Structure formats: C-alpha cells, structure tokens
C-alpha cells in the first residue's frame, strides 16, 4: 500500500506487465519528486515506453500500484489526465493546420474558453520561441520546430507533470540544446518533468534524479549525484590533488584506518594500503599518483565513511607537508554508470 506524500508526483509500486509471453515490466518500483527533472533511462526493450503509457493512462497496469498526484491511474484516469501532458516518441500532427489552429484545437478539447485559449497559446508560443511562426502551416516546419509545437501542445492545459518520451529524437545538436533550455525554464516555472532519452550526456546535465530500467527491472533510482559519484552508501571515493607527488603524504594516508590509496601500477593494494613482501612481512609502499599535465599529482582515496572523516584526510596530508590543490568526491560519467548497471545482449 502506497503512503500519500505531497512531495511525490509519481509513485509506482510492484508494477508488472506482460505482452503475451514477453514480460515487459517485473516488479518495478520508484517515485518521482515534485518539481524535479527525472531522467528515465534504459536500453531498447527495457520497458520505458510501457511505463510511460501506463502513467499516461493509455495502458492499464496489470499488477501493481501506480499513482500520479495520489490518483490511481486505473480508477481515476480523468483526474490524472488533467494533471499530465504526454509527448510520445512518435506523434501525429494535423499538418494542414497552422500552429495557432493546432494549439487552439487542443485548447478547445480541454474545455478552455476562447479568451483563455488565446492567452495560454500566446504564453506557450513565447515559451517555446514559436510566436513568430503561429500562422505557419505545420507541414512546412522543420523537425525541430514541429517538436516545439508538440511541446507547446502538451502545455496548453497547464499540466503539472510532463511525460516526455525521447523529446530530442531526430533533432540536430542546436535544436537539442534549445529544447533542454526550454525544459530548464519549465522546471523553474514549477513543472515536474519525467523524461525518457537515450542522450545520456544531456540527461546527466539536465536531471537531478534518475531511474535506470533494464529488462523490465529497476537497476537504480535516486539522485543523479549519487549515481555518477564514485562512492556508495558506506564507502567514499575521493580525488586528492597535490601540488606535486608527495610519497610521505601518500604513505601517511594509506596508513589511516579504513583508507586505501589507489596506485597506478602494480597489484591492487591490500587493506590500509599495505603490500606483502616476499618474506611475508607487511610493508607500506607509497602509492603512485596520476600525474596531471600541470605537474600536479592526483591520488585516489577509498575509505570507510563511518571510520574516517574527510577532514582527517586533509589534516594528515597537511601534517606530512603536502600542498593541497583540490579535494573532491570522484565522479564518473553517466555512460559508465549506465554500462555498469545494465546487461549486454539482445533485448525484445
């Protein structure tokens, strides 16, 4: 049973869905917070589009609970539809209409009076930078311009939640950048955006939260900063940059309880940075840093959060006489996290 939470826009618990013999979703559970840009990532066939169709009330869930703003997507479809705007990957447009006529048609379908429609259409055209094209026929617009019209269309009834399935598909780099800027502005206006995309570099910059789906199961769901961090809940991974290589400081750090300093050569270090000598004696060897073009030396430290505070690492390096240039938690690219969490192979 899901507990209502005013800060939760989407709550999915144990969602399972099949197409004949193909299991598209298997026990999917995650939440989306209010006013976030939440990335939805996964290989082809992972179950992303099925999830989006269920959230948009176009496909009833077979098993599990799905709530949008506290409303059940199966029993309260009317309430859900008034609060969402869904932009599918492949969308049909009435190409013989002008941009204004197209938006006016959908505004009328939502029951908006003409005066109200005129104001809202003017606002969404300005937001999407399409106000100078409102009298143009849709069939004469570029792919990027048509994507903007489609986005304007889902904004006509002022939804609180946007469900976007590959909104940048087929766009050139400039059009993608401009679309991302529009989405940032929509977040500033208080919208919650749930976006599926294969363009991981843009999601890493745009999104504050992310869910990774693979073979119908959630592999990760949470803050983007935790996903791209080299750390996990119990273990931290930091980069310590010194003005120059400093073997004494590296040895002092490797001797700290619960800390190891990664070396660039030789076998992986034993716990606490110790290595085994041929005679069976345990000796400390200064780990080798990564040398930067500037001549600075970067050491990678892995330590137990519960046993060691970052301040003690800094104090130890300073006490050894090292000159510290930088100290920050290690980051990895979203591509790396995605490859680590998903499985190779052909998908349905």
């Amino acid at each position: 049973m899901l507990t209502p939470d005013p800060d939760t826009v989407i709550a999915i618990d144990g969602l399972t869905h099949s197409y004949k013999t193909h299991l598209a979703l298997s026990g999917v559970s995650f939440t989306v917070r209010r006013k976030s840009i939440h990335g939805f990532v996964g290989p082809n066939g992972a179950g992303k589009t099925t999830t989006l169709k269920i959230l948009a009330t176009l496909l009833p869930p077979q098993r599990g609970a799905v709530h949008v703003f506290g409303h059940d997507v199966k029993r309260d479809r009317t309430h859900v539809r008034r609060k969402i705007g869904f932009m599918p990957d492949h969308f049909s447009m009435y190409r013989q209409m002008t941009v204004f006529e197209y938006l006016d048609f959908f505004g009328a379908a939502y029951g908006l009076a003409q005066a109200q429609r005129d104001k809202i259409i003017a606002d969404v055209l300005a937001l999407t930078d399409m106000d100078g094209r409102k009298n143009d026929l849709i069939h004469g617009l570029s792919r990027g311009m048509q994507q903007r019209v489609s986005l304007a269309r889902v904004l006509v009834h002022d939804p609180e939640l946007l469900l976007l399935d590959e909104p940048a598909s087929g766009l050139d780099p400039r059009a993608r950048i401009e679309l991302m800027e529009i989405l940032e502005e929509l977040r500033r206006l208080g919208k919650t955006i749930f976006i599926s995309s294969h363009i991981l570099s843009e999601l890493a910059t745009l999104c504050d939260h992310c869910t990774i789906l693979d073979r119908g199961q959630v592999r990760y769901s949470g803050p983007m900063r935790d996903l791209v961090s080299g750390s996990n809940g119990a273990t931290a991974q930091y980069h310590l940059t010194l003005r120059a290589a400093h073997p004494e400081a590296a040895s002092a750090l490797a001797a700290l309880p619960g800390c190891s300093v990664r070396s660039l050569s030789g076998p992986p270090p034993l716990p606490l940075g110790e290595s085994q000598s041929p005679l069976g004696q345990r000796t400390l060897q200064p780990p080798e840093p990564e040398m930067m073009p500037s001549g600075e030396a970067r050491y990678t430290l892995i330590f137990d959060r519960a046993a060691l505070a970052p301040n003690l690492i800094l104090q130890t390096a300073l006490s050894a006489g090292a000159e510290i240039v930088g100290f920050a938690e290690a980051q990895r690219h979203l591509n790396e996290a995605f490859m680590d969490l998903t499985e190779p192979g052909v998908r349905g």
Side-chain angles (χ1 to χ4, degrees):
M1 184 69 179
L2 296 175
T3 303
D5 182 347
D7 291 325
T8 298
V9 171
I10 295 173
I12 298 179
D13 186 27
L15 177 61
T16 299
H17 199 92
S18 299
Y19 298 100
K20 295 184 179 180
T21 59
H22 173 62
L23 183 62
L25 299 171
S26 178
V28 168
S29 300
F30 64 89
T31 60
V32 174
R33 308 297 289 175
R34 188 182 295 272
K35 297 182 181 179
S36 68
I37 299 185
H38 194 113
F40 195 39
V41 184
N44 290 331
K48 303 188 303 298
T49 297
T50 297
T51 304
L52 281 162
K53 286 182 177 179
I54 290 172
L55 287 170
T57 75
L58 301 177
L59 187 67
Q62 293 172 344
R63 291 193 299 279
V66 181
H67 290 77
V68 175
F69 292 102
H71 297 289
D72 186 282
V73 297
K74 195 170 184 178
R75 295 195 303 266
D76 303 326
R77 287 182 298 172
T78 301
H79 289 92
V80 171
R81 289 175 179 178
R82 291 192 177 278
K83 288 182 171 290
I84 66 171
F86 178 44
M87 182 176 170
D89 183 9
H90 301 288
F91 55 91
S92 298
M93 305 184 78
Y94 305 134
R95 298 176 184 275
Q96 298 306 315
M97 285 183 170
T98 66
V99 172
F100 180 87
E101 290 169 341
Y102 180 74
L103 299 178
D104 187 65
F105 171 81
F106 281 96
Y110 278 102
L112 304 178
Q114 185 65 63
Q116 188 179 8
R117 297 203 300 272
D118 290 344
K119 182 181 184 308
I120 290 176
I121 291 171
D123 289 342
V124 298
L125 286 175
L127 178 65
T128 55
D129 198 22
M130 289 292 291
D131 41 0
R133 311 297 294 270
K134 68 177 183 179
N135 295 319
D136 291 3
L137 290 173
I138 290 174
H139 75 78
L141 299 176
S142 67
R143 168 74 175 177
M145 292 294 104
Q146 289 186 14
Q147 287 282 68
R148 292 186 184 213
V149 175
S150 183
L151 181 59
R153 187 260 306 164
V154 303
L155 294 171
V156 163
H157 64 295
D158 195 22
E160 296 180 54
L161 169 65
L162 302 181
L163 305 173
L164 309 180
D165 191 3
E166 299 290 345
S169 175
L171 300 186
D172 61 56
R174 182 178 183 84
R176 288 205 306 269
I177 292 170
E178 291 172 346
L179 176 63
M180 296 302 142
E181 290 173 348
I182 292 172
L183 296 182
E184 284 278 17
E185 179 61 23
L186 287 169
R187 175 177 34 192
R188 285 192 288 270
L189 293 173
K191 305 294 184 188
T192 302
I193 301 171
F194 187 66
I195 176 172
S196 169
S197 177
H198 285 109
I199 308 172
L200 300 185
S201 59
E202 291 173 356
L203 287 185
T205 303
L206 182 70
C207 299
D208 48 67
H209 285 72
C210 181
T211 295
I212 294 181
L213 197 67
D214 185 33
R215 300 180 187 272
Q217 296 183 328
V218 173
R219 305 299 185 187
Y220 174 84
S221 189
M224 182 68 79
R225 65 177 179 271
D226 292 349
L227 178 61
V228 299
S229 169
S231 308
N232 58 39
T235 304
Q237 182 171 324
Y238 274 69
H239 289 314
L240 175 67
T241 305
L242 305 182
R243 183 67 64 191
H246 201 295
E248 294 83 3
S251 295
L253 291 169
L256 289 172
C259 181
S260 67
V261 184
R262 182 173 293 172
S263 178
L264 296 180
S265 62
L270 294 171
L272 311 188
E274 296 183 359
S275 62
Q276 194 76 28
S277 73
L279 299 178
Q281 299 175 327
R282 298 172 76 81
T283 60
L284 287 173
Q285 293 183 344
E288 297 179 16
E290 175 187 359
M291 298 306 299
M292 315 299 286
S294 60
E296 297 169 348
R298 187 170 76 170
Y299 294 90
T300 298
L301 286 71
I302 302 172
F303 58 90
D304 184 344
R305 292 182 189 273
L308 190 60
N311 283 345
L312 181 57
I313 291 174
L314 294 174
Q315 291 170 8
T316 300
L318 290 171
S319 297
E323 185 177 352
I324 297 174
V325 175
F327 184 60
E329 193 164 9
Q331 298 288 307
R332 58 179 176 170
H333 196 277
L334 180 56
N335 288 345
E336 297 176 61
F338 180 80
M339 295 300 289
D340 288 345
L341 292 169
T342 58
E343 300 176 17
V346 178
R347 293 161 174 82

